[in-house]
Amino acid sequence: PPSVESRLPLQVWAGKLSGGRVAVVLVNADKTEAKITAKWSDIWMPNGTEVHARDAIGHRDIGSAKDSISVSVQSHDVAALILTPFEEFESLHV
């Protein structure tokens, strides 16, 4: 993969998964903690979609989000999330 661009210390990376899910990595290459936002329009998610969010590193559910998700990321760290649209999440957990 390409390296993190030092002139853009806060980055959002995303990839499509099966079932309409999206994997999102929030990268903070800056010197201080930062709140990073992934907007649906930037990660192939239709606006208005409500998702279940899971921390892929911490293996824990972090709640729901609609239209965007924001996470505080420590300096020189990442957050990795799996976003599952509610329709898909509910069908998997019935």
Side-chain angles (χ1 to χ4, degrees):
S3 61
V4 174
E5 173 60 56
S6 62
R7 292 174 296 166
L8 302 170
L10 305 180
Q11 297 183 15
V12 176
W13 292 60
K16 293 180 182 181
L17 301 173
S18 63
R21 298 173 304 146
V22 175
V24 178
V25 177
L26 307 171
V27 179
N28 181 359
D30 208 354
K31 297 175 184 169
T32 59
E33 178 180 355
K35 184 180 237 180
I36 304 174
T37 299
K39 298 176 184 174
W40 283 194
S41 57
D42 295 330
I43 61 168
W44 307 291
M45 192 80 66
N47 284 332
T49 302
E50 190 167 3
V51 301
H52 170 81
R54 182 161 178 84
D55 176 343
I57 296 171
H59 304 284
R60 62 184 176 87
D61 296 331
I62 59 173
S64 62
K66 185 176 181 180
D67 296 327
S68 68
I69 189 163
S70 296
V71 175
S72 290
V73 181
Q74 294 295 317
S75 171
H76 302 288
D77 202 357
V78 301
L81 310 173
I82 303 295
L83 306 179
T84 305
F86 267 176
E87 303 81 37
E88 185 68 23
F89 180 75
E90 290 171 349
S91 70
L92 294 171
H93 294 88
V94 173

